[in-house]
Amino acid sequence: MPISRLHEIVAALPYLFETGMTFSLTLTALAAALGLMLGTLLALCRLSKSRLLSLPATLYVNGMRSVPLLLVIFWFYFLAPYIGAWIEHSPTPVQIGAYRSAVITFSLFESAYFCEIMRAGIASISRGQTHAALALGLTARQTMIMVVLPQALRNMTPALLTRVITLFQDTSLVYVLSMTDFFGAANDVASRDGSIVQMYLLAAVVYFAICFTASNFVKSFGTARHAH
Amino acid sequence: MIQIENVSKWYGGFRVLTECNMQVARGEVVVVCGPSGSGKSTLIKTVNGLEAVQQGDIRVDGMHVTGVSTDLRKVRSRTGMVFQSFELFAHLSVLENLCLAQKHVLKRSSDVSEHRAMQLLERVGLAAHRHKYPAALSGGQQQRVAIARALSMDPTVMLFDEPTSALDPEMVNEVLDVMTDLARDGMTMMVVTHEMGFAQRVADRVIFMDGGRILEDCAKSDFFGGGAERGERSRHFLSKILHH
C-alpha cells in the first residue's frame, strides 16, 4: 500500500468514527432499548391467556421474523409518510425523515426477536417464584414487574446481548436510506478517494474487532454468572 | 383460624380433593401427612388461594378465601407461606427478599422494613448473611430466610408446604428448630410434612390424607398411640415412614 494511501485513511478516521460510528452506535442503542421494551410487552401479550392479546402479538412476531430486514426498512420508509398522513388526517404524506424512520424500523423489527428471548426468559422462571410472590400479597402485576421480569432479564442477558451484536451489524443496512453510518462513511471515503479495497478492509476489521470483543465479553459474562 | 369446609377440587375431570373438612384453631399446630399424591400440598395451597377450589368454603381469620368478592391479597398478606423449594427471589439479597412485600404490600417505610427484617434474621440466626444472594446460601439457610420472609409480614397464621423435603438430611434440623421455636411462641401453624419426629414433638393434631380425602383428624397422642380405632391405611403409612 503506498504511503499516501495510508495517510488518506488516517485523515478519514475522524469522519469515519465521529460521524459514522457515532451514528451506528446511537442507532444500535436506541433500537435495542426501544426494541427490548416493545419486545417485553409483546412477550407478555404472547403469554397472556387472552386470545385478544396473544393472537395479534403472535402474528406480529412471526410476521416480522419471516421477512428480510431490508424489506422492512424499505417498506417502512416508503409507507410511513402515508401512515402518518392517515393518523394525522393530513391530505399530503407526512415526512418523518430517514433517521426517525430507521430508529422506528429497527425497533419494530428487533422487538420481534427480543420478544422471543424474553418469552423464553419468563418461561424459565418457575411457577414457585410466582406463587411465593403472590403468597406475600403482591399483585399479579407487581409479581411480574418485581419478581419475574428482573430474573428473566438476568437469565437472558447473554442472549439479549448476542442479539444486540447482530443488531449492530445490521445497522449498516441504513446505507440504503442514504444515511451515514460507519459503513456508509467508509463507502463515502472510498468513492471519494478511489480506495474501495482499503476502506472496505478497514470497515471489516473494525466491525470484526468490535463484535469479537463484544461476544467474548458476553461469553465471559455468562460464565462469571454461572460461577457465582 | 382456618376453616376448611366441604372442599373439593378438580383438575379437569380428575378429582384431587374430595369433601375435605378441617380446622386449625388459634395457636394450634396441625400437621398434615400422607403419601405423595394424596393432595396435601394442594390442600394447603387452597388456604391462601394459590389453588382455586370448585366446591366448598375456606375461611382464614374470618375472611372468605373462596368468595368471588374476596380480596385475596388481604388474606395472603396475613398468611405466611413456606415452600418446599424455598422460592427466595434469586435477584434480590436476603435483606431485600425480606423487605419487598413489607414495602409494597404493607407500605412500610424502608427503615421500618429493614428494622423488622433484621429482627427476624437474627431470630433465624442469619443476620450476618443479610447482604448475600440466595445462591450463596445453603438449602437450610435459604429455608430459614424463607421463613423469616414469611414472618416479615407479621402473619396471623403460617403455612408450611413440605419445608424440609428438598433439604439435605444434615440441614433438616436447623429448619425444624426454627419451626419448633415458632410453635412454642404460639404461632398458628398448618404444616405439610413427613417429619414425624417434628409432629410428635410439636403438633397438637395430626391429619392423615390419602387419595384427596382427609381420612383421619386426631390428637397427636391418638395418632401415634396407634389405637384400634385408627385406620388401617394411616397405620400402614406410619409404620413405613417410621421404620425407614
Side-chain angles (χ1 to χ4, degrees), chain B residues 160-198:
Chain B
F160 292 85
D161 183 13
E162 305 207 29
T164 57
S165 300
L167 293 174
D168 291 335
E170 73 269 24
M171 292 168 183
V172 168
N173 280 332
E174 60 184 89
V175 171
L176 290 182
D177 286 347
V178 170
M179 290 167 62
T180 305
D181 181 49
L182 203 55
R184 301 240 189 281
D185 269 13
M187 177 59 79
T188 309
M189 291 161 64
M190 179 171 169
V191 186
V192 171
T193 186
H194 291 296
E195 295 293 335
M196 288 301 120
F198 173 80

Side-chain angles (χ1 to χ4, degrees), chain A residues 126-139 142 146-148 150-151 154 228, chain B residues 45 48 50 73 76-77 79 81 83 87-91 100-101 104-105 133 149-150 153:
Chain A
S126 76
R127 229 171 111 72
Q129 289 279 302
T130 307
H131 271 175
L134 292 176
L136 285 165
L138 295 168
T139 62
Q142 286 174 323
M146 294 172 187
V147 174
V148 178
Q151 294 190 64
R154 207 181 67 145
H228 165 81
Chain B
K45 283 184 183 141
N48 62 355
L50 287 181
R73 294 186 64 200
R76 287 168 175 167
S77 67
T79 314
M81 185 160 211
F83 298 84
E87 303 300 352
L88 293 179
F89 305 134
H91 62 302
L100 184 75
H104 294 284
V105 179
Y133 283 83
R149 180 178 68 181
M153 302 297 286

Side-chain angles (χ1 to χ4, degrees), chain B residues 69-83:
Chain B
S69 60
T70 309
D71 185 2
L72 267 180
R73 294 186 64 200
K74 204 168 169 187
V75 178
R76 287 168 175 167
S77 67
R78 293 185 194 177
T79 314
M81 185 160 211
V82 176
F83 298 84

Side-chain angles (χ1 to χ4, degrees), chain B residues 202-234:
Chain B
V202 181
D204 297 301
R205 280 188 303 120
V206 179
I207 282 171
F208 176 76
M209 287 185 76
D210 196 11
R213 289 172 190 276
I214 291 177
L215 295 183
E216 278 180 50
D217 179 351
C218 51
K220 171 176 64 178
S221 52
D222 292 339
F223 190 80
F224 292 104
E229 72 283 1
R230 293 257 333 285
E232 178 64 32
R233 263 193 283 185
S234 73

